[in-house]
Amino acid sequence: QVQLVESGGGLVQAGGSLRLSCAASGRTFSSYAMGWFRQAPGKEREFVAGIIWNSDSTYYADSVKGRFAISSDNAKNTVYLQMNSLEPEDTAVYYCAARSGRSIRTSGAWYDFWGQGTQVTVSS
């Protein structure tokens, strides 16, 4: 079992930046992928970015490509989401998730473990 804890959310003006962190603890996998998802009020949860652990393989939703960057720190067992050029449309609760296997999936149904979420609010 894996526990995930997000942090780093907050309020930022449009054009600003935030870095979200997702610290993983508990049972680890030999091969797993991490993903960031977000959910705005009245909207479905959507995939934002993913990374395969212990690799450089990443994948981004078109809406954030070029603005967001996902990365990981193996020593800290943490995955990050650097968010730049934030827009009001980025306002959502952001969740990190983990799944076994060395492939990135864009559907949340593929992920086994979820954090509690962290609120990101971008003002215009």
Side-chain angles (χ1 to χ4, degrees), residues 37 45-47 97 99 104-112 114:
F37 293 77
R45 186 170 299 184
E46 65 174 342
F47 174 83
R99 65 174 301 273
I104 298 169
R105 305 290 187 178
T106 59
S107 171
W110 287 98
Y111 290 80
D112 303 305
W114 294 82

Side-chain angles (χ1 to χ4, degrees), residues 41-109:
K43 300 182 67 176
E44 296 182 1
R45 186 170 299 184
E46 65 174 342
F47 174 83
V48 176
I51 186 169
I52 297 175
W53 194 256
N54 200 28
S55 80
D56 294 322
S57 297
T58 60
Y59 184 76
Y60 298 91
D62 289 341
S63 60
V64 306
K65 194 173 300 181
R67 299 188 298 120
F68 292 9
I70 188 170
S71 62
S72 61
D73 186 328
N74 188 61
K76 296 181 178 180
N77 216 22
T78 299
V79 64
Y80 304 95
L81 184 68
Q82 178 67 46
M83 304 185 294
N84 299 322
S85 301
L86 283 162
E87 305 167 353
E89 292 75 19
D90 296 317
T91 295
V93 176
Y94 283 71
Y95 300 89
C96 71
R99 65 174 301 273
S100 61
R102 292 186 62 80
S103 63
I104 298 169
R105 305 290 187 178
T106 59
S107 171

